[in-house]
């Protein structure tokens, strides 16, 4: 049996969980087994029908008085106990932050490997997986060991396909035994982002700043440029780490993925982890003092100059036109 962790997003199965179920069904088909879902929520019963559409034969609803908010180790312990009880041959989690975090904890508890960001699984004797590395810039073929296989699906890469024959899964309630020490980390509250204007992921123009901007005040000019072009402002991780911009603005492997018509990185060197986030840009216009910077090789257009001279001039010209 292939056990799949399903996360709910405002009461419905998250897209990444439907991807995980699609991958799980493929594995189950190859191993002549079935797919079960584990849902850590008291809303599990309400989504059973929808999970049945994706071929889930049984839903296991984890219920515990202290699991009213997310606690990674407690989720992991619960998933581990369900997997143990059902003698799961594989455990698949969505390629989301939580999916990766929870399954890594489960695998670490058992001292076995996990294959993250899988696109395809050949569940034969060798158990070969094709998975993304380096934020999707590299594809790796690997063999996954261990009696129980632990893997996550690559987010937004594995297509979502309903089952040819929908199931009508029963919902079994599961009460895990959880010690205090698995509640060392638990979400206390959420804060809504105060971001205004065009969301980064949807912007047609993104102007972003890196360490070369030199400080938080340097972003005023970049914000003016983004406003004049009807775009949004982003940042490199270096700028975010300096505390110059919020993490929501970060573009890259560990930040937002953007696909604007025009991307204007200012004072950004073009590290591979940054480029992963902007590889969907149609055109890149880099502004950098260093002609040898990697971003210059990757840009369609480049201005080799100080951004503090170029951006104000650009703004002035745009205001006049
Ligand atoms: P730097 O590399 O210091 O580059 C600054 C650039 O500014 C230089 O090219 C310089 O020539 C130029 N410059 C300086 N002054 C001026 C000026 N006045 N005018 C014009 N140009 C100027 N990075 C990300 O961005 N996003 C990620 O999601 C991300 N994830 C990561 C994940 C991992 C696991 C790791 C290990 C790293 C990650 N990084 C990420 C960090 C990444 O490797 C780089 O360190 C980072 O992108 C560098 O930021 P930067 O280009 O702003 O700074």
């Amino acid at each position: 049996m292939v056990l799949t962790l399903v996360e709910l997003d405002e009461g419905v199965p998250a897209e990444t969980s439907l991807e995980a179920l699609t991958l799980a069904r493929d594995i189950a088909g190859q191993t002549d087994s079935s797919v079960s879902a584990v849902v850590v929520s008291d809303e599990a019963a309400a989504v059973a029908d929808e999970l049945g559409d994706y071929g889930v034969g049984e839903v296991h609803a984890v219920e515990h008085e202290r699991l009213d908010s997310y606690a990674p180790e407690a989720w992991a312990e619960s998933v581990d106990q369900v997997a143990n009880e059902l003698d799961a041959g594989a455990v698949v989690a969505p390629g989301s932050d939580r999916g990766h975090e929870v399954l890594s904890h489960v695998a670490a508890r058992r001292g076995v490997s996990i294959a993250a960001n899988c696109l395809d699984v050949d569940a034969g004797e060798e158990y070969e997986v094709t998975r993304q590395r380096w934020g999707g810039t590299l594809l790796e073929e690997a063999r996954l060991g261990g009696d129980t296989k632990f893997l996550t699906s690559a987010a937004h890469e594995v297509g979502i396909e309903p089952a040819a024959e929908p199931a009508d899964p029963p919902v079994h309630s599961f009460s895990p035994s959880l010690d205090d020490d698995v509640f060392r980390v638990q979400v206390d509250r959420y804060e809504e982002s105060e971001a205004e204007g065009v969301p980064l992921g949807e912007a047609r123009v993104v102007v972003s700043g890196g360490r070369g901007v030199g400080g938080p005040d340097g972003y005023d000019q970049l914000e003016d440029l983004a406003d004049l072009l009807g775009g949004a402002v982003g940042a490199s991780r270096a700028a975010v780490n300096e505390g110059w911009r919020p993490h929501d603005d970060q573009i890259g492997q560990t930040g937002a993925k953007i696909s604007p018509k025009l991307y204007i990185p200012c004072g950004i060197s073009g590290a591979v982890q940054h480029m992963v986030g902007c590889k969907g840009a149609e055109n890149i216009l880099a502004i950098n003092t260093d002609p040898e910077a990697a971003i210059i090789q990757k840009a369609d257009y480049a201005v080799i100059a100080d951004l503090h001279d170029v951006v104000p001039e650009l703004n002035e010209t745009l205001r006049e036109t």
Side-chain angles (χ1 to χ4, degrees):
M1 188 269 302
V2 182
L3 183 66
T4 309
L5 174 64
V6 171
E7 278 181 78
L8 303 187
D9 184 3
E10 299 190 345
V12 295
E15 207 178 289
T16 46
S17 291
L18 299 181
E19 293 168 351
L21 283 174
T22 305
L23 187 68
R25 222 175 48 244
D26 179 35
I27 298 169
Q30 295 179 51
T31 50
D32 202 16
S33 60
S34 59
V35 175
S36 290
V38 53
V39 188
V40 188
S41 166
D42 51 15
E43 293 177 289
V47 297
D49 279 352
E50 186 173 353
L51 298 182
D53 292 344
Y54 290 89
V56 170
E58 283 185 356
V59 176
H60 298 272
V62 173
E63 285 164 13
H64 190 278
E65 60 198 12
R66 291 181 70 182
L67 276 174
D68 53 346
S69 70
Y70 177 58
E73 290 173 87
W75 276 47
E77 179 62 38
S78 306
V79 170
D80 196 16
Q81 289 179 18
V82 176
N84 242 332
E85 190 165 301
L86 302 177
D87 196 18
V91 184
V92 181
S96 59
D97 290 348
R98 278 189 190 182
H100 285 131
E101 184 172 34
V102 170
L103 210 66
S104 303
H105 275 296
V106 179
R109 275 160 192 273
R110 294 196 183 193
V112 297
S113 309
I114 169 178
N117 300 313
C118 294
L119 294 162
D120 196 25
V121 177
D122 178 350
E125 213 168 299
E126 302 282 7
Y127 219 94
E128 285 175 340
V129 300
T130 306
R131 62 176 183 144
Q132 289 185 330
R133 300 297 305 268
W134 289 99
T137 52
L138 194 73
L139 284 186
E140 179 185 85
E141 300 206 334
R143 282 194 210 116
L144 188 56
D147 291 338
T148 307
K149 317 294 181 191
F150 292 94
L151 40 102
T152 66
S153 49
H156 313 303
E157 297 290 343
V158 176
I160 298 173
E161 271 178 45
E165 288 174 32
D168 182 15
V171 181
H172 304 291
S173 147
F174 183 88
S175 302
S177 154
L178 301 174
D179 294 336
D180 280 349
D181 64 358
V182 297
F183 288 97
R184 284 179 301 189
V185 175
Q186 184 156 27
V187 170
D188 183 36
R189 68 197 156 89
Y190 293 94
E191 272 179 32
E192 287 283 332
S193 155
E194 286 171 12
E196 289 172 8
V198 195
L200 262 184
E202 291 164 27
R204 286 167 59 84
V205 177
V206 175
V207 181
S208 78
R211 209 193 310 267
V213 172
D217 297 343
Y219 284 86
D220 293 349
Q221 291 291 344
L222 303 194
E223 268 168 13
D224 286 351
L225 179 56
D227 278 351
L228 286 161
L229 296 172
V233 173
S236 71
R237 177 154 140 176
V240 171
N241 284 354
E242 293 285 355
W244 301 343
R245 299 298 292 185
H247 181 262
D248 283 354
D249 285 1
Q250 185 173 314
I251 292 165
Q253 185 182 330
T254 43
K257 312 279 184 286
I258 57 166
S259 46
K261 286 216 161 286
L262 178 62
Y263 180 48
I264 311 181
C266 306
I268 289 182
S269 58
V272 64
Q273 297 91 349
H274 184 81
M275 298 314 292
V276 163
C278 61
K279 65 179 186 210
E282 268 179 44
N283 293 289
I284 299 180
L285 160 61
I287 304 175
N288 200 303
T289 44
D290 179 6
E292 304 294 324
I295 194 90
I296 304 297
Q297 312 304 320
K298 293 163 187 159
D300 300 283
Y301 309 93
V303 181
I304 313 292
D306 189 326
L307 69 94
H308 301 292
D309 298 330
V310 177
V311 178
E313 261 186 61
L314 208 49
N315 290 346
E316 209 46 54
T317 309
L318 285 168
R319 278 193 196 100
E320 282 165 11
T321 52

